[in-house]
């Protein structure tokens, strides 16, 4: 039952071409930008706090914001269709 629901929700999610691009593209771009910043690595091969703490927190916050922004639209679509 859960697998059928997951497949159905994935199909509905993929119908909107902007949502997957935003949900996958922005966090990936954010990690690339944080990784390419000049101060993100130290001389001895270790990583600074920017790369180890701030970048993952920024991605987590971004995904939470995207989820909160996309959820009402998905629920409205379900109510319209009577699901």
């Amino acid at each position: 039952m859960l697998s059928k629901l997951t497949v159905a929700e994935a199909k509905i999610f993929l119908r909107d071409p902007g949502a997957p691009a935003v949900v996958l593209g922005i966090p990936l771009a954010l990690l690339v930008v944080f990784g390419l910043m000049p101060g993100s690595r130290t001389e001895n091969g270790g990583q600074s706090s920017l790369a180890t703490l701030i970048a993952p927190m920024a991605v987590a916050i971004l995904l939470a914001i995207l989820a909160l922004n996309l959820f009402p639209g998905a629920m409205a679509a379900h109510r319209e269709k009577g699901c």
Side-chain angles (χ1 to χ4, degrees), residues 6-79:
T6 304
V7 170
E9 289 295 327
K11 286 180 183 177
I12 292 171
F13 177 70
L14 293 174
R15 285 183 190 162
D16 180 19
V22 169
V23 169
L24 296 175
I26 291 178
L28 183 62
L30 193 61
L31 285 177
V32 168
V33 167
F34 274 120
L36 294 177
M37 287 178 76
S40 66
R41 296 199 183 270
T42 59
E43 290 82 23
N44 61 2
Q47 292 185 343
S48 68
S49 63
L50 178 70
T52 57
L53 295 175
I54 297 173
M57 281 193 314
V59 170
I61 291 169
L62 177 71
L63 289 175
I65 290 170
L66 287 172
L68 290 173
N69 284 333
L70 294 175
F71 184 71
M75 293 309 295
H78 281 298
R79 288 191 84 171

